[in-house]
């Protein structure tokens, strides 16, 4: 039977189920409580959505859906019996909860770490980790330190989710030779339903077993799968179907900017802007947005998360973009904010951030 390891404390699944534990650490206590409820056979779990495109809400996810999701991931990666899992993301959100569920279903040794920017820096572990999930911010932090980069490279399979990885991060992952996959999924799909191997110039997603996908008239992805809450879940993600169960993600339909009749895909443009922003501002958070405009309908603007009073850098960037970018792809204005508004799960809330300036 598996166990949960937190620092120097070990809790067997049998001990967790018995309730014979009283940890002082709040994160550990919350995680063990979920494990106990699972081992006791609880059938319904209330989980909050991330709130990246709207107000966060609570939804009920059934045990059977979580079991199906865990089984599909195990089949996709051909996970061996009794693996070693590293859980270092928030176990109050769907991604972290599903890492616990996978460990419980796979009879795994679950190495639990309080979520931090670099969860590997102080990790002392002799045995190799078979499976781990991180958010891009954590991977970025790990790659800044040689010690944690080595530890990251030693993880058998790393999945990265929560938000898309930047182009520069993808390049670093490839350069470090890390066996990593970008995930596609959401709370409503009970974690990921597709994965893209980070080893090429672009990410091509392959669905997990027994998942059917298609698009509506607007090229927005729909999903049919036994672990998904709705019979057919219509998403707001624009995709290109390449083959059966294989697709390329383009961006969010609700992030599409219509400027003078020209439709601009925010995420695609952001990836293009990186090579101009990074040399001037370094690796910072940024996004493009459509500001209401009487003439254009929406005016393309750029937001940078950076310290204020950098008008010279802003002017330098604007001049470069005017020379290098297509007319409609060049931001008409740049806003600098010292801190973006984030969702509870750490994603950038574009609308709330933009409202600070409009």
């Amino acid at each position: 039977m598996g166990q949960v390891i937190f620092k120097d404390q070990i809790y067997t699944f049998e001990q967790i189920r018995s309730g014979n534990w009283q940890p002082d650490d709040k994160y550990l206590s919350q995680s063990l409580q979920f494990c106990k409820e699972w081992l006791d056979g609880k059938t319904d779990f209330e989980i909050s959505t991330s709130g990246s495109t709207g107000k966060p809400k609570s939804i009920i996810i059934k045990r059977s859906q979580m079991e199906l999701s865990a089984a599909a991931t195990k089949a996709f990666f051909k996970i061996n019996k009794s693996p070693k899992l590293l859980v270092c993301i928030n176990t109050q959100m769907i991604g972290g909860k599903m890492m616990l569920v996978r460990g419980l279903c796979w009879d795994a040794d679950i190495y639990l770490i309080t979520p931090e920017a670099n969860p590997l820096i102080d990790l002392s572990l002799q045995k190799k980790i078979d499976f781990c999930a991180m958010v891009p911010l954590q991977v970025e932090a790990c790659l800044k330190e040689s010690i944690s980069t080595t530890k990251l490279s030693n993880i058998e399979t790393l999945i990265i989710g929560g938000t898309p990885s930047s182009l520069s991060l993808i390049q670093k992952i490839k350069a470090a030779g890390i066996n990593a996959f970008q995930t596609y999924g959401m709370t409503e799909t009970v974690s990921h339903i597709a994965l893209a191997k980070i080893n090429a110039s672009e990410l091509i997603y392959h669905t997990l077993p027994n998942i059917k996908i298609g698009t509506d008239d607007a090229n927005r992805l729909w999903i049919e799968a036994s672990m998904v809450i709705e019979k057919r879940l219509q998403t707001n993600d624009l995709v290109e179907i390449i083959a059966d169960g294989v697709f390329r993600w383009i961006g969010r339909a609700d992030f599409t900017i219509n400027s003078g009749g020209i439709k601009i895909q925010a995420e695609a443009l952001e990836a293009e802007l990186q090579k101009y922003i990074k040399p001037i501002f370094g690796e910072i958070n940024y996004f493009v947005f459509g500001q209401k405009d009487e003439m254009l309908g929406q005016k393309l603007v750029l937001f940078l998360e950076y310290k204020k009073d950098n008008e010279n850098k802003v002017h330098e960037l604007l001049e470069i973009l005017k020379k290098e970018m297509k007319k409609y792809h060049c931001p008409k204005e740049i806003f600098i904010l010292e801190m973006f508004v984030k969702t509870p799960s750490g994603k950038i809330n574009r609308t709330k951030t933009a409202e600070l300036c409009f």
Side-chain angles (χ1 to χ4, degrees):
M1 191 175 235
Q3 56 190 359
V4 173
I5 301 99
F6 182 81
K7 298 179 181 178
D8 58 349
Q9 306 165 52
I10 298 175
Y11 303 87
T12 66
F13 289 177
E14 185 177 342
Q15 182 184 359
I16 294 170
R17 187 173 185 176
S18 71
N20 185 24
W21 42 269
Q22 291 182 325
D24 295 329
D25 186 274
K26 182 180 178 182
Y27 177 71
L28 173 60
S29 181
Q30 290 174 335
S31 301
L32 291 181
Q33 181 59 37
F34 174 81
C35 291
K36 176 173 171 33
E37 290 172 355
W38 182 272
L39 293 168
D40 285 341
K42 186 173 179 177
T43 57
D44 297 313
F45 296 87
E46 185 176 347
I47 300 177
S48 296
T49 60
S50 65
S52 55
T53 59
K55 195 172 182 179
K57 60 182 179 181
S58 293
I59 59 176
I60 300 297
I61 295 179
K62 294 190 174 297
R63 179 191 188 92
S64 58
Q65 294 171 304
M66 300 170 94
E67 288 174 332
L68 287 166
S69 177
T73 297
K74 184 178 183 181
F76 185 95
F77 288 113
K78 298 179 174 60
I79 301 293
N80 293 324
K81 186 178 179 182
S82 301
K84 291 170 179 57
L85 272 61
L86 180 63
V87 179
C88 55
I89 56 177
N90 188 356
T91 56
Q92 297 303 296
M93 306 300 289
I94 188 62
K97 275 187 166 49
M98 279 308 303
M99 281 300 294
L100 293 178
V101 169
R102 292 177 193 122
L104 293 162
C105 290
W106 301 349
D107 195 28
D109 284 345
I110 302 171
Y111 292 87
L112 184 68
I113 296 177
T114 304
E116 295 176 350
N118 187 340
L120 301 183
I121 195 69
D122 294 322
L123 179 66
S124 177
L125 188 62
Q126 302 301 319
K127 298 175 182 177
K128 189 171 184 178
I129 293 295
D130 295 300
F131 192 83
C132 175
M134 290 188 186
V135 297
L137 182 148
Q138 290 177 311
V139 180
E140 189 82 57
C142 288
L143 290 171
K144 288 180 179 178
E145 304 287 342
S146 59
I147 295 175
S148 51
T149 297
T150 300
K151 293 175 183 177
L152 199 64
S153 301
N154 286 333
I155 294 173
E156 187 71 28
T157 301
L158 173 69
I159 61 173
I160 306 170
T163 190
S165 298
S166 67
L167 181 60
S168 67
L169 178 56
I170 288 172
Q171 291 169 342
K172 291 174 187 175
I173 290 169
K174 287 158 59 176
I178 297 164
N179 185 38
F181 293 77
Q182 181 73 44
T183 69
Y184 174 83
M186 58 203 79
T187 307
E188 292 84 350
T189 61
V190 191
S191 188
H192 56 259
I193 56 93
L195 299 120
K197 183 83 166 71
I198 300 179
N199 65 353
S201 57
E202 62 177 341
L203 298 179
I204 303 299
Y205 290 87
H206 295 257
T207 60
L208 298 181
N210 303 315
I211 289 176
K212 184 178 179 182
I213 61 171
T215 56
D216 65 3
D217 294 339
N219 292 323
R220 297 179 307 168
L221 180 71
W222 55 254
I223 304 161
E224 292 181 356
S226 51
M227 76 276 286
V228 176
I229 291 174
E230 301 175 23
K231 184 175 181 181
R232 174 177 284 191
L233 178 66
Q234 179 63 61
T235 78
N236 222 12
D237 288 296
L238 298 170
V239 302
E240 177 190 352
I241 303 290
I242 299 171
D244 186 26
V246 183
F247 65 93
R248 180 185 292 108
W249 182 76
I250 298 171
R252 294 280 304 180
D254 45 353
F255 293 163
T256 300
I257 300 163
N258 190 332
S259 184
I262 304 296
K263 290 187 177 180
I264 302 165
Q265 301 303 330
E267 288 94 344
L269 179 57
E270 287 158 4
E272 189 179 351
L273 286 170
Q274 184 185 47
K275 61 185 176 183
Y276 304 114
I277 295 173
K278 185 178 176 181
I280 299 173
F281 290 92
E283 292 184 351
I284 62 169
N285 287 326
Y286 65 92
F287 67 92
V288 295
F289 197 82
Q291 182 182 8
K292 287 184 180 180
D293 184 85
E294 287 187 12
M295 185 178 294
L296 298 171
Q298 287 182 306
K299 179 175 70 173
L300 178 67
V301 296
L302 172 64
F303 285 88
L304 305 176
E305 190 176 48
Y306 199 74
K307 55 181 179 286
K308 293 188 176 181
D309 302 323
N310 279 277
E311 292 303 319
N312 290 338
K313 286 188 175 184
V314 169
H315 179 73
E316 180 186 354
L317 177 60
L318 266 177
E319 289 303 307
I320 291 173
L321 295 180
K322 286 176 183 177
K323 291 178 183 178
E324 300 293 334
M325 304 291 291
K326 294 177 182 177
K327 180 180 178 181
Y328 287 101
H329 283 182
C330 181
K332 301 295 184 288
E333 194 171 354
I334 296 177
F335 294 96
I336 291 184
L337 290 169
E338 292 189 0
M339 187 172 292
F340 289 167
V341 179
K342 305 291 198 316
T343 69
S345 61
K347 298 178 186 177
I348 298 171
N349 188 319
R350 296 172 182 238
T351 303
K352 291 292 186 184
T353 299
E355 286 174 355
L356 296 175
C357 298
F358 299 163

